[in-house]
Amino acid sequence: MSGGVPNRSSRVRRLVRGPRPESVPALVGRACALVGLLDVAAGVFPRFRHSRMHTLAEVLPGSFGPFAAALSLSAGILLLLLAHGLKRSKRRAWRAAVVLLPAGAAAQFVYRHSVVGALISIALLVPLLVHRDQFAALPDPRSRWRALANFVLMGAGSLGLGLVIVSVHPNRLIGDPSLADRLTHVLYGLFGFEGPVDYAGNTSWTVAFSLGALGWLTAVTTIYLAFRPEHPAARLTEEDESRLRALLDRHGRRDSLGHFALRRDKAVVFSPSGKAAVTYRVVSGVMLASGDPIGDVEAWPGAIERFMDEARAHSWTPAVMGCSETGGEVWTRETGLDALELGDEAVVDVADFSLAGRAMRNVRQMVKRIERAGYETRVRRVRDLGEAELDRIRRAAEDWRGTDTERGFSMALGRVGDPADGDCLIATAHKADEIPGPYGDLKAILHFVPWGPDGVSLDLMRRDRAADPGMNELLIVAALQAAPRFAVTRVSLNFAMFRSALARGEKIGAGPVLRAWRGLLVFLSRWFQIESLYKFNAKFQPRWEPRFVVYRASGDLPRIGFAAMQAEGFVDLALPLPRILRRRTKPARVCAHRPAERDVQAA
């Protein structure tokens, strides 16, 4: 096939489709969630069971009695936990539901002699068995860290729900227990012991069995997650990395993001011929690729087909962040997915770059001022640095990061100074101080990865907070001026999201919708530096290369956006260490692939 560049009209491709009918797994998942919510309500709220909803509630597992209340609560929570897996066609969720529903039906008949209640469970079981071939998705990659997360989340949920259970019997309470007494009663009840709160009649038994069920569910799900076989997060094997490097040696000039495929927290699928590959990471059920496929354009369809097969096998949502026009055209042509322009990449042609002229006046003045302040720059290949200096640069880059986690996924390598990355460029700024800092005279770092034999792509920008503003401008100019020494003819700088909207929205004649969209982006720039990145890049007079997000349906975009923010490090759902155990870091320094706010304001 041909990998020709599409015309401008294809930059935002929207395929005309009718509304997609909901699949059987989605409907079954919704039914499980609804029944689960009603089960929980029937087990927790006594008035719910005797209200006008009695007719509906009595057919749910366990509407009366201590045992029945606990069973209703357990069944409801388990069904809620299974609902999402059923929506995603997970085979293990299907197996669990097939076991749970007959058990619920038997409980209906044994405890309550409810034929209607048993039929409700069987009615939900029938489509599961009839459409069992639609529940074939493999499990997600998993880690035992999820056991800790489950314990914390389920424990917190059990405490909250337990307080509700203890408090929904006001007419049966003996005395007036305080909030502390009620919380103590919940904690004791989760472990199967009697607490300080007492009730009249059989209510004490109902509350005790319900709290015990919550504790049992928390313990069982945590133990299951802790002892099930572990499938660690995606990692490139040495063989995969070697094959990717061979493809980049032959075809790396095509995409400025190609070298970022060598991040070692990505997985990879190769085309049947081995001449192309797609790297990805799975985040919150989204199979997230970045940039274009690696390798021969003619072999891209084979790698893309393998990628889509993997997504279907696990019921992951496929998505691509930051692909080029050619990549977007191939993805949409081969898969039927849609592409939406996400922003623009700033690319500077070294031969055309000069500090002369009015357009470069601000940059020129800033660079001259910093040089007069005594700063000097050095631009070298990684392989030309000694191990002691590399170690100092690595430690400085980590300390100057300013965030607990490394940011970046689609346009960040995630490491500095690896022996395998000897072709990377490092630009450093130095200033001899009377009192040297912990990293000597080092004040700022820029790291570039190879873009074929004649290009480099910006990876990270770090600087000492105590250094003068303008370090990033100084080092970018130094790298561009030194580029001919390394046979580099083009330099890819930062990626500017929604650049075209910002640029068009500030021009005369922009319509109200475009102006409103630009106003929203400017507002969001307070947190995400959308506008400041665009203006920072624009100072170097680059050419703009559009980048796209490829997605399956418009309804997937919020989920894809959230997964991308997780992958890039802007949203961290991991449980943080207690503050006392964290390594002390200095505040608010520049993060990967983003210029320091102080530098942007000073410019």
Side-chain angles (χ1 to χ4, degrees), residues 346-489:
V347 178
V348 178
D349 293 312
V350 174
D352 298 332
F353 177 76
S354 173
L355 285 177
R358 183 181 183 126
M360 298 298 295
R361 179 183 177 185
N362 290 338
V363 176
R364 181 173 63 250
Q365 289 178 344
M366 178 171 285
V367 169
K368 294 298 183 184
R369 177 180 58 80
I370 297 173
E371 289 176 342
R372 285 195 300 268
Y375 289 89
E376 65 174 26
T377 59
R378 302 168 194 168
V379 182
R380 293 159 290 175
R381 295 281 188 188
V382 166
R383 60 172 172 265
D384 296 329
L385 276 68
E387 186 57 39
E389 185 174 8
L390 270 178
D391 181 66
R392 186 164 62 250
I393 290 173
R394 289 190 199 102
R395 289 187 292 109
E398 181 179 357
D399 188 41
W400 295 343
R401 183 171 62 210
T403 56
D404 291 336
T405 57
E406 185 76 54
R407 285 184 176 175
F409 167 70
S410 57
M411 300 180 184
L413 188 60
R415 59 182 184 266
V416 177
D418 192 283
D421 301 319
D423 287 337
C424 291
L425 280 180
I426 289 185
T428 53
H430 305 262
K431 184 181 181 183
D433 294 329
E434 294 180 2
I435 302 177
Y439 310 110
D441 62 354
L442 183 65
K443 299 300 179 184
I445 306 163
L446 257 62
H447 187 256
F448 298 85
V449 300
W451 175 11
D454 61 348
V456 291
S457 184
L458 181 60
D459 175 26
L460 63 81
M461 309 165 73
R462 303 278 166 82
R463 71 174 179 88
D464 188 347
R465 181 64 179 268
D468 293 334
M471 290 292 103
N472 293 325
E473 287 90 339
L474 175 69
L475 288 180
I476 287 176
V477 169
L480 289 168
Q481 291 176 337
R485 291 204 326 259
F486 303 98
V488 171
T489 62

Side-chain angles (χ1 to χ4, degrees), residues 247-552:
L247 292 177
L248 287 170
D249 288 341
R250 292 193 295 270
H251 307 282
R253 194 180 189 280
R254 230 211 50 77
D255 186 15
S256 63
L257 307 188
H259 199 85
F260 299 124
L262 297 176
R263 283 183 67 104
R264 288 166 185 158
D265 57 358
K266 291 183 177 182
V268 61
V269 289
F270 289 91
S271 65
S273 65
K275 294 181 179 180
V278 175
T279 58
Y280 66 92
R281 188 196 298 172
V282 178
V283 183
S284 298
V286 177
M287 190 176 182
L288 199 63
S290 59
D292 292 345
I294 306 300
D296 188 353
V297 177
E298 298 290 338
W300 283 7
I304 290 173
E305 183 179 1
R306 288 280 179 89
F307 177 90
M308 297 301 292
D309 287 344
E310 192 78 4
R312 280 189 291 269
H314 293 84
S315 191
W316 291 330
T317 299
V320 186
M321 298 294 296
C323 65
S324 68
E325 289 191 57
T326 302
E329 178 68 15
V330 176
W331 274 100
T332 55
R333 180 188 304 156
E334 296 297 325
T335 64
L337 301 179
D338 289 346
L340 181 66
E341 186 169 335
L342 186 62
D344 294 88
E345 175 188 12
V347 178
V348 178
D349 293 312
V350 174
D352 298 332
F353 177 76
S354 173
L355 285 177
R358 183 181 183 126
M360 298 298 295
R361 179 183 177 185
N362 290 338
V363 176
R364 181 173 63 250
Q365 289 178 344
M366 178 171 285
V367 169
K368 294 298 183 184
R369 177 180 58 80
I370 297 173
E371 289 176 342
R372 285 195 300 268
Y375 289 89
E376 65 174 26
T377 59
R378 302 168 194 168
V379 182
R380 293 159 290 175
R381 295 281 188 188
V382 166
R383 60 172 172 265
D384 296 329
L385 276 68
E387 186 57 39
E389 185 174 8
L390 270 178
D391 181 66
R392 186 164 62 250
I393 290 173
R394 289 190 199 102
R395 289 187 292 109
E398 181 179 357
D399 188 41
W400 295 343
R401 183 171 62 210
T403 56
D404 291 336
T405 57
E406 185 76 54
R407 285 184 176 175
F409 167 70
S410 57
M411 300 180 184
L413 188 60
R415 59 182 184 266
V416 177
D418 192 283
D421 301 319
D423 287 337
C424 291
L425 280 180
I426 289 185
T428 53
H430 305 262
K431 184 181 181 183
D433 294 329
E434 294 180 2
I435 302 177
Y439 310 110
D441 62 354
L442 183 65
K443 299 300 179 184
I445 306 163
L446 257 62
H447 187 256
F448 298 85
V449 300
W451 175 11
D454 61 348
V456 291
S457 184
L458 181 60
D459 175 26
L460 63 81
M461 309 165 73
R462 303 278 166 82
R463 71 174 179 88
D464 188 347
R465 181 64 179 268
D468 293 334
M471 290 292 103
N472 293 325
E473 287 90 339
L474 175 69
L475 288 180
I476 287 176
V477 169
L480 289 168
Q481 291 176 337
R485 291 204 326 259
F486 303 98
V488 171
T489 62
R490 53 196 179 145
V491 177
S492 170
L493 299 178
N494 293 288
F495 172 74
M497 290 188 64
F498 309 115
R499 182 208 65 87
S500 59
L502 288 169
R504 293 197 300 267
E506 63 184 355
K507 291 182 178 180
I508 296 176
V513 175
L514 190 55
R515 287 185 180 275
W517 175 224
R518 182 183 180 278
L520 176 61
L521 294 176
V522 171
F523 174 75
L524 294 176
S525 295
R526 299 179 182 181
W527 297 276
F528 298 104
Q529 294 186 341
I530 298 172
E531 184 184 31
S532 58
L533 263 178
Y534 157 54
K535 291 185 175 180
F536 178 85
N537 292 332
K539 290 190 295 187
F540 301 96
Q541 303 299 304
R543 56 183 168 88
W544 299 100
E545 297 289 341
R547 291 280 173 175
F548 299 83
V549 57
V550 176
Y551 59 98
R552 182 172 55 189

Side-chain angles (χ1 to χ4, degrees), residues 60 76 82 111 119 167 188 224 226 259 337 406 467 511 518 534 548:
L60 301 175
L82 291 174
Y111 286 117
L119 291 177
S167 303
Y188 275 58
Y224 167 73
H259 199 85
L337 301 179
E406 185 76 54
R518 182 183 180 278
Y534 157 54
F548 299 83

